[in-house]
Amino acid sequence: QQLQAHGSAKLISLTRLNGQEMVINAELIETVEKTPDTIIGLVTGKRFIVQETVEEVISRVMEYRRQLPPFWKKVASNLGDKE
């Protein structure tokens, strides 16, 4: 499963290059780069290289957002508009 419950937050599951599974809070993702590896940049400044493609990461974030209650969907979409 690509989404995991952790307390009240939903996290997306990704795989580091060494095969180790990790979970990331989808709301903290600021950038997803293809260089040719996929690099996830968080708003905290941390960066991770993962096995998944940019398209797979985007798909998992979209799935996470689809599962949000209506109020939080609106909040999340408004956050994406402020750049």
Side-chain angles (χ1 to χ4, degrees), residues 36-51:
D37 295 320
T38 304
I39 301 173
I40 309 288
L42 303 183
V43 296
T44 62
K46 291 186 178 184
R47 294 167 61 88
F48 301 96
I49 300 174
V50 297
Q51 292 180 3

Side-chain angles (χ1 to χ4, degrees), residues 3-51:
L3 300 176
Q4 296 189 2
H6 181 71
S8 61
K10 296 272 185 182
L11 306 172
I12 61 170
S13 178
L14 300 169
T15 311
R16 293 179 187 260
L17 287 184
N18 67 3
Q20 179 183 9
E21 183 180 352
M22 63 183 295
V23 291
I24 294 180
N25 182 334
E27 296 299 325
L28 297 181
I29 295 175
E30 183 173 37
T31 60
V32 181
E33 304 172 45
K34 181 177 180 178
T35 66
D37 295 320
T38 304
I39 301 173
I40 309 288
L42 303 183
V43 296
T44 62
K46 291 186 178 184
R47 294 167 61 88
F48 301 96
I49 300 174
V50 297
Q51 292 180 3

Side-chain angles (χ1 to χ4, degrees), residues 36-67:
D37 295 320
T38 304
I39 301 173
I40 309 288
L42 303 183
V43 296
T44 62
K46 291 186 178 184
R47 294 167 61 88
F48 301 96
I49 300 174
V50 297
Q51 292 180 3
E52 289 78 11
T53 65
V54 169
E55 295 78 15
E56 288 172 310
V57 174
I58 291 170
S59 175
R60 292 180 190 187
V61 171
M62 302 274 295
E63 178 62 25
Y64 160 77
R65 289 192 174 197
R66 275 195 286 278
Q67 294 184 18

